[in-house]
Amino acid sequence: MKEEKEFRISYLAAHATTIVSVTLVLLLAGIIAMISIAARRETKKMRESVELSVIMKDAVADAPAMALLDSLKGLPYVKDASLITRAQAMEQWKRETGEDLEAVFGVNPLSPEIEFSLPEAYSNPDSIRKIVASLSRVTNVEEVATPDSAMVEAMNHNIEGMSIILGAIALVMLVISYVLINNTVRLTIYSRRFTIHTMQLVGATGGFIARPVVVNNMLAGIIAGLLAAGALAIALAAAPHYSGVDYGEFISWGDYAAIGGGLVAGGALICALAATFATRLYLRKDYSELFR
């Protein structure tokens, strides 16, 4: 029991710098990943907020409009659809203008309308033009009202630009993370270079020398990944209490689980690779080169 406790203390003492450094790097990488997922979710909501309105011809009853609504719900370019009946259209007109057209004309002159939103893949000007052309040929359809094409193009352009920027930041962070972790692990192994050379002198093979070094550093990466994932979980759970914002709308716990698992796996993999390359480097060095 005492030996096990001493082993834990000596291991943490030897790898404390590595664990802390890798934790901070992974934590930053996790924050970038969470921001990217949240941004991706919000851009999807923005694209799926584009709505089209199918306006029926004059004197068309609600029944044909309901039949068209049922057929639209099965089409791939319809995400959500709803019917505004003639009576509902009249009520909406009264609320917005204060005029009672039915009292003026003796009948309800308004037509039923169908409003539907588009899936993300169809929220672009080319797809909208094709949808409008297709629906305009349907019987009893007067016109299809669409959002301004310039607005849709501007929205897609801004979203694509933001996606490129976030992707570039994520790529840079990945490179920086690897470089920092690699340098940290190499410094740890650098301090053991004479031990590695001594083991070579007594006949230890390269694999025998490298195995515990790689395993210990992989374990350090796993611990760092768990610490980073735990810090993100605490921040995600505590944020609503301090900021009043429910971040679950932007990133779910399922997304967090994927990020946390990636941090643990990434920390283990990068630390193992860095330890492998660094150990091989010092295994090839002569004794005189160890002083450089």
Side-chain angles (χ1 to χ4, degrees):
M1 192 70 178
K2 182 179 179 181
E3 293 179 355
E4 182 180 352
K5 183 177 180 181
E6 290 177 351
F7 170 78
R8 288 200 300 268
I9 295 175
S10 61
Y11 176 84
L12 292 176
H15 294 85
T17 303
T18 302
I19 292 173
V20 172
S21 301
V22 175
T23 298
L24 294 176
V25 173
L26 292 178
L27 184 60
L28 188 56
I31 292 173
I32 294 295
M34 291 176 70
I35 293 174
S36 299
I37 290 176
R40 177 70 184 87
R41 180 163 294 173
E42 287 305 300
T43 55
K44 183 178 180 181
K45 287 182 180 179
M46 289 176 59
R47 282 181 165 149
E48 291 181 345
S49 66
V50 175
E51 288 189 345
L52 278 67
S53 296
V54 180
I55 304 173
M56 310 301 290
K57 291 181 178 179
D58 293 340
V60 172
D62 292 338
M66 181 63 72
L68 178 58
L69 173 67
D70 292 336
S71 63
L72 286 177
K73 287 182 177 179
L75 297 177
Y77 58 75
V78 176
K79 182 177 182 291
D80 295 307
S82 60
L83 173 66
I84 300 177
T85 64
R86 299 179 68 190
Q88 290 172 337
M90 178 57 69
E91 289 297 324
Q92 184 176 345
W93 179 273
K94 289 179 182 178
R95 287 195 303 270
E96 294 177 354
T97 66
E99 297 178 336
D100 188 352
L101 296 179
E102 195 168 8
V104 174
F105 295 102
V107 293
N108 185 349
L110 301 180
S111 303
E113 297 182 14
I114 297 173
E115 293 184 346
F116 65 92
S117 58
L118 303 174
E120 182 183 14
Y122 292 90
S123 295
N124 58 79
D126 291 337
S127 296
I128 291 174
R129 280 193 290 268
K130 292 178 182 178
I131 293 170
V132 171
S134 175
L135 292 177
S136 296
R137 294 191 293 267
V138 175
T139 305
N140 293 327
V141 172
E142 179 69 26
E143 67 171 313
V144 180
T146 64
D148 183 32
S149 60
M151 182 199 72
V152 177
E153 289 179 355
M155 179 187 70
N156 286 325
H157 177 74
N158 293 335
I159 289 174
E160 288 173 1
M162 185 169 59
S163 299
I164 291 173
I165 292 173
L166 285 175
I169 293 175
L171 180 61
V172 171
M173 281 301 308
L174 181 63
V175 174
I176 293 175
S177 299
Y178 176 77
V179 172
L180 291 177
I181 293 174
N182 181 63
N183 289 340
T184 301
V185 173
R186 288 188 65 174
L187 285 174
T188 302
I189 297 175
Y190 175 80
S191 64
R192 301 182 59 186
R193 65 193 186 283
F194 290 108
T195 302
I196 293 174
H197 184 73
T198 302
M199 294 176 70
Q200 282 183 297
L201 292 178
V202 298
T205 63
F208 179 83
I209 297 172
R211 191 177 301 111
V213 176
V214 173
V215 170
N216 286 336
N217 280 278
M218 181 184 293
L219 179 59
I222 292 174
I223 294 173
L226 291 173
L227 290 175
L232 287 177
I234 293 172
L236 192 61
H241 300 287
Y242 292 97
S243 65
V245 179
D246 183 10
Y247 289 94
E249 297 179 0
F250 305 100
I251 180 167
S252 66
W253 283 104
D255 296 327
Y256 159 76
I259 293 173
L263 292 179
V264 174
L269 179 62
I270 294 176
C271 286
L273 288 175
T276 300
F277 294 143
T279 305
R280 287 180 178 178
L281 174 66
Y282 289 110
L283 284 173
R284 292 193 297 266
K285 286 182 178 292
D286 294 330
Y287 181 74
S288 59
E289 296 177 313
L290 299 180
F291 293 91
R292 298 176 185 176

